[in-house]
mmCIF file of all heavy atoms in Angstrom:
data_model
loop_
_atom_site.group_PDB
_atom_site.id
_atom_site.type_symbol
_atom_site.label_atom_id
_atom_site.label_comp_id
_atom_site.label_asym_id
_atom_site.label_seq_id
_atom_site.Cartn_x
_atom_site.Cartn_y
_atom_site.Cartn_z
ATOM 1 N N LEU L 70 -33.666 -57.282 -41.003
ATOM 2 C CA LEU L 70 -34.135 -55.887 -40.866
ATOM 3 C C LEU L 70 -35.045 -55.501 -42.029
ATOM 4 O O LEU L 70 -36.086 -54.868 -41.830
ATOM 5 C CB LEU L 70 -32.945 -54.924 -40.796
ATOM 6 C CG LEU L 70 -32.074 -55.004 -39.546
ATOM 7 C CD1 LEU L 70 -30.918 -54.016 -39.647
ATOM 8 C CD2 LEU L 70 -32.873 -54.734 -38.286
ATOM 9 N N GLY L 71 -34.644 -55.903 -43.235
ATOM 10 C CA GLY L 71 -35.438 -55.564 -44.425
ATOM 11 C C GLY L 71 -36.845 -56.118 -44.340
ATOM 12 O O GLY L 71 -37.817 -55.446 -44.702
ATOM 13 N N ALA L 72 -36.937 -57.367 -43.854
ATOM 14 C CA ALA L 72 -38.263 -58.002 -43.799
ATOM 15 C C ALA L 72 -39.068 -57.505 -42.609
ATOM 16 O O ALA L 72 -40.286 -57.298 -42.727
ATOM 17 C CB ALA L 72 -38.088 -59.508 -43.727
ATOM 18 N N SER L 73 -38.408 -57.332 -41.466
ATOM 19 C CA SER L 73 -39.172 -57.041 -40.245
ATOM 20 C C SER L 73 -39.622 -55.583 -40.152
ATOM 21 O O SER L 73 -40.702 -55.298 -39.648
ATOM 22 C CB SER L 73 -38.361 -57.412 -39.009
ATOM 23 O OG SER L 73 -37.223 -56.594 -38.937
ATOM 24 N N ASN L 74 -38.806 -54.663 -40.673
ATOM 25 C CA ASN L 74 -39.127 -53.253 -40.476
ATOM 26 C C ASN L 74 -40.429 -52.847 -41.167
ATOM 27 O O ASN L 74 -41.319 -52.247 -40.550
ATOM 28 C CB ASN L 74 -37.967 -52.400 -40.978
ATOM 29 C CG ASN L 74 -38.190 -50.939 -40.680
ATOM 30 O OD1 ASN L 74 -38.557 -50.188 -41.552
ATOM 31 N ND2 ASN L 74 -38.030 -50.553 -39.416
ATOM 32 N N LEU L 75 -40.540 -53.240 -42.425
ATOM 33 C CA LEU L 75 -41.748 -52.885 -43.176
ATOM 34 C C LEU L 75 -42.967 -53.600 -42.578
ATOM 35 O O LEU L 75 -44.056 -53.010 -42.463
ATOM 36 C CB LEU L 75 -41.548 -53.292 -44.641
ATOM 37 C CG LEU L 75 -42.173 -52.402 -45.689
ATOM 38 C CD1 LEU L 75 -41.751 -50.953 -45.515
ATOM 39 C CD2 LEU L 75 -41.791 -52.887 -47.079
ATOM 40 N N ALA L 76 -42.734 -54.866 -42.194
ATOM 41 C CA ALA L 76 -43.837 -55.638 -41.601
ATOM 42 C C ALA L 76 -44.318 -54.972 -40.315
ATOM 43 O O ALA L 76 -45.528 -54.918 -40.042
ATOM 44 C CB ALA L 76 -43.356 -57.057 -41.329
ATOM 45 N N LYS L 77 -43.367 -54.430 -39.529
ATOM 46 C CA LYS L 77 -43.739 -53.755 -38.277
ATOM 47 C C LYS L 77 -44.574 -52.519 -38.575
ATOM 48 O O LYS L 77 -45.534 -52.216 -37.871
ATOM 49 C CB LYS L 77 -42.470 -53.337 -37.525
ATOM 50 C CG LYS L 77 -41.977 -54.358 -36.529
ATOM 51 C CD LYS L 77 -40.794 -53.765 -35.774
ATOM 52 C CE LYS L 77 -39.868 -54.849 -35.299
ATOM 53 N NZ LYS L 77 -38.564 -54.312 -34.907
ATOM 54 N N ASP L 78 -44.191 -51.805 -39.631
ATOM 55 C CA ASP L 78 -44.944 -50.602 -40.019
ATOM 56 C C ASP L 78 -46.386 -50.942 -40.366
ATOM 57 O O ASP L 78 -47.303 -50.196 -40.037
ATOM 58 C CB ASP L 78 -44.267 -49.925 -41.219
ATOM 59 C CG ASP L 78 -43.078 -49.091 -40.781
ATOM 60 O OD1 ASP L 78 -42.965 -48.815 -39.570
ATOM 61 O OD2 ASP L 78 -42.256 -48.738 -41.647
ATOM 62 N N PHE L 79 -46.550 -52.094 -41.037
ATOM 63 C CA PHE L 79 -47.916 -52.500 -41.397
ATOM 64 C C PHE L 79 -48.677 -52.937 -40.149
ATOM 65 O O PHE L 79 -49.841 -52.609 -39.959
ATOM 66 C CB PHE L 79 -47.888 -53.653 -42.405
ATOM 67 C CG PHE L 79 -47.366 -53.249 -43.754
ATOM 68 C CD1 PHE L 79 -46.481 -54.067 -44.451
ATOM 69 C CD2 PHE L 79 -47.746 -52.048 -44.335
ATOM 70 C CE1 PHE L 79 -45.995 -53.692 -45.686
ATOM 71 C CE2 PHE L 79 -47.267 -51.664 -45.586
ATOM 72 C CZ PHE L 79 -46.379 -52.492 -46.251
ATOM 73 N N GLU L 80 -47.972 -53.683 -39.315
ATOM 74 C CA GLU L 80 -48.605 -54.250 -38.119
ATOM 75 C C GLU L 80 -49.019 -53.148 -37.139
ATOM 76 O O GLU L 80 -50.138 -53.160 -36.623
ATOM 77 C CB GLU L 80 -47.593 -55.181 -37.463
ATOM 78 C CG GLU L 80 -48.191 -56.223 -36.557
ATOM 79 C CD GLU L 80 -47.071 -57.052 -35.947
ATOM 80 O OE1 GLU L 80 -46.416 -57.804 -36.684
ATOM 81 O OE2 GLU L 80 -46.848 -56.913 -34.730
ATOM 82 N N ARG L 81 -48.096 -52.202 -36.928
ATOM 83 C CA ARG L 81 -48.395 -51.122 -35.964
ATOM 84 C C ARG L 81 -49.201 -49.988 -36.604
ATOM 85 O O ARG L 81 -49.493 -48.999 -35.950
ATOM 86 C CB ARG L 81 -47.097 -50.535 -35.423
ATOM 87 C CG ARG L 81 -46.318 -51.486 -34.563
ATOM 88 C CD ARG L 81 -45.020 -50.809 -34.194
ATOM 89 N NE ARG L 81 -44.094 -51.705 -33.540
ATOM 90 C CZ ARG L 81 -42.796 -51.485 -33.453
ATOM 91 N NH1 ARG L 81 -42.264 -50.406 -33.997
ATOM 92 N NH2 ARG L 81 -42.012 -52.331 -32.828
ATOM 93 N N LYS L 82 -49.423 -50.147 -37.892
ATOM 94 C CA LYS L 82 -50.206 -49.168 -38.671
ATOM 95 C C LYS L 82 -49.520 -47.791 -38.751
ATOM 96 O O LYS L 82 -50.170 -46.794 -39.033
ATOM 97 C CB LYS L 82 -51.630 -49.006 -38.111
ATOM 98 C CG LYS L 82 -52.325 -50.310 -37.765
ATOM 99 C CD LYS L 82 -53.606 -50.460 -38.532
ATOM 100 C CE LYS L 82 -54.389 -51.698 -38.211
ATOM 101 N NZ LYS L 82 -53.746 -52.961 -38.401
ATOM 102 N N THR L 83 -48.238 -47.741 -38.494
ATOM 103 C CA THR L 83 -47.536 -46.452 -38.618
ATOM 104 C C THR L 83 -47.474 -46.005 -40.076
ATOM 105 O O THR L 83 -47.307 -44.828 -40.364
ATOM 106 C CB THR L 83 -46.097 -46.545 -38.071
ATOM 107 O OG1 THR L 83 -45.546 -47.773 -38.485
ATOM 108 C CG2 THR L 83 -46.043 -46.441 -36.574
ATOM 109 N N VAL L 84 -47.604 -47.008 -40.970
ATOM 110 C CA VAL L 84 -47.582 -46.676 -42.390
ATOM 111 C C VAL L 84 -48.731 -45.730 -42.765
ATOM 112 O O VAL L 84 -48.589 -44.860 -43.631
ATOM 113 C CB VAL L 84 -47.580 -47.983 -43.238
ATOM 114 C CG1 VAL L 84 -48.892 -48.716 -43.141
ATOM 115 C CG2 VAL L 84 -47.233 -47.705 -44.680
ATOM 116 N N PHE L 85 -49.891 -45.867 -42.063
ATOM 117 C CA PHE L 85 -51.039 -44.982 -42.346
ATOM 118 C C PHE L 85 -50.685 -43.530 -42.035
ATOM 119 O O PHE L 85 -51.065 -42.621 -42.766
ATOM 120 C CB PHE L 85 -52.263 -45.383 -41.510
ATOM 121 C CG PHE L 85 -52.761 -46.761 -41.815
ATOM 122 C CD1 PHE L 85 -53.098 -47.630 -40.796
ATOM 123 C CD2 PHE L 85 -52.880 -47.190 -43.128
ATOM 124 C CE1 PHE L 85 -53.548 -48.901 -41.082
ATOM 125 C CE2 PHE L 85 -53.333 -48.470 -43.422
ATOM 126 C CZ PHE L 85 -53.658 -49.341 -42.390
ATOM 127 N N ILE L 86 -49.974 -43.353 -40.914
ATOM 128 C CA ILE L 86 -49.609 -41.978 -40.510
ATOM 129 C C ILE L 86 -48.701 -41.366 -41.579
ATOM 130 O O ILE L 86 -48.877 -40.232 -41.985
ATOM 131 C CB ILE L 86 -48.901 -41.995 -39.129
ATOM 132 C CG1 ILE L 86 -49.809 -42.671 -38.107
ATOM 133 C CG2 ILE L 86 -48.507 -40.594 -38.686
ATOM 134 C CD1 ILE L 86 -49.127 -43.054 -36.816
ATOM 135 N N VAL L 87 -47.737 -42.167 -42.024
ATOM 136 C CA VAL L 87 -46.789 -41.650 -43.026
ATOM 137 C C VAL L 87 -47.522 -41.370 -44.345
ATOM 138 O O VAL L 87 -47.311 -40.326 -44.976
ATOM 139 C CB VAL L 87 -45.631 -42.654 -43.255
ATOM 140 C CG1 VAL L 87 -44.626 -42.092 -44.246
ATOM 141 C CG2 VAL L 87 -44.946 -42.977 -41.946
ATOM 142 N N MET L 88 -48.400 -42.280 -44.709
ATOM 143 C CA MET L 88 -49.096 -42.130 -45.992
ATOM 144 C C MET L 88 -50.088 -40.953 -45.982
ATOM 145 O O MET L 88 -50.476 -40.454 -47.036
ATOM 146 C CB MET L 88 -49.855 -43.426 -46.337
ATOM 147 C CG MET L 88 -48.971 -44.559 -46.799
ATOM 148 S SD MET L 88 -48.079 -44.202 -48.309
ATOM 149 C CE MET L 88 -46.459 -43.941 -47.726
#
Side-chain angles (χ1 to χ4, degrees):
Chain L
L70 292 178
S73 65
N74 185 258
L75 215 54
K77 268 185 208 164
D78 280 345
F79 292 137
E80 202 181 292
R81 293 176 189 161
K82 315 238 182 302
T83 41
V84 69
F85 297 135
I86 304 166
V87 182
M88 285 298 106

